[in-house]
Amino acid sequence: RCVTCKSIEKNTQYTLDTFFNKEIEEGKITFQIINIDDKSNYDMAKKFRATSTSLFLNVVRNGKERKIDLTDFAFLNGKNQEKFSTGFKSKLEKQLAKL
């Protein structure tokens, strides 16, 4: 995996650990790393149309799923922890407020 891909994962985990511990403990937020090269993850990759490193929010509200693709955001900001974390935190807060 490339440096940016590793940074995206690291910065996603940092943001969740730093700002969303309560929501993770309550089960409002889960974080999964899915290896799309593993055949057992084929259905998940297909569901999100993931063909390489991707970042998605899967918001479930009233039993309905809404997939929000943050891949472009992640690659544009992945190497800058502050910019990534600030933007990702804002996007998560916006979705959590709607629950």
Side-chain angles (χ1 to χ4, degrees), residues 11 16 30 36 44 66:
N11 290 330
L16 294 173
T30 60
I36 64 168
M44 181 71 76
R66 179 170 172 244

Side-chain angles (χ1 to χ4, degrees):
R1 296 182 332 153
C2 73
V3 172
T4 304
C5 297
K6 291 176 184 177
S7 295
I8 290 167
E9 181 179 331
K10 179 182 153 200
N11 290 330
T12 298
Q13 192 67 61
Y14 167 82
T15 305
L16 294 173
D17 291 344
T18 303
F19 302 105
F20 297 98
N21 246 353
K22 178 182 172 193
E23 290 83 355
I24 290 170
E25 287 176 10
E26 293 173 347
K28 289 181 180 179
I29 293 177
T30 60
F31 177 57
Q32 295 178 332
I33 298 170
I34 307 294
N35 179 351
I36 64 168
D37 293 327
D38 183 337
K39 291 181 191 243
S40 67
N41 295 322
Y42 175 80
D43 289 338
M44 181 71 76
K46 185 177 176 183
K47 176 180 179 177
F48 286 90
R49 298 180 182 165
T51 57
S52 63
T53 297
S54 305
L55 180 62
F56 288 91
L57 295 181
N58 188 42
V59 180
V60 181
R61 186 174 34 238
N62 300 324
K64 294 182 182 179
E65 290 185 61
R66 179 170 172 244
K67 296 168 202 69
I68 302 169
D69 188 349
L70 299 179
T71 303
D72 289 342
F73 162 82
F75 273 95
L76 286 171
N77 301 291
K79 291 183 182 178
N80 182 327
Q81 184 182 46
E82 184 178 342
K83 194 171 183 180
F84 181 94
S85 188
T86 299
F88 187 53
K89 178 178 181 276
S90 174
K91 292 172 187 311
L92 282 172
E93 288 172 337
K94 180 179 176 182
Q95 295 307 314
L96 285 168
K98 295 177 181 180
L99 296 181

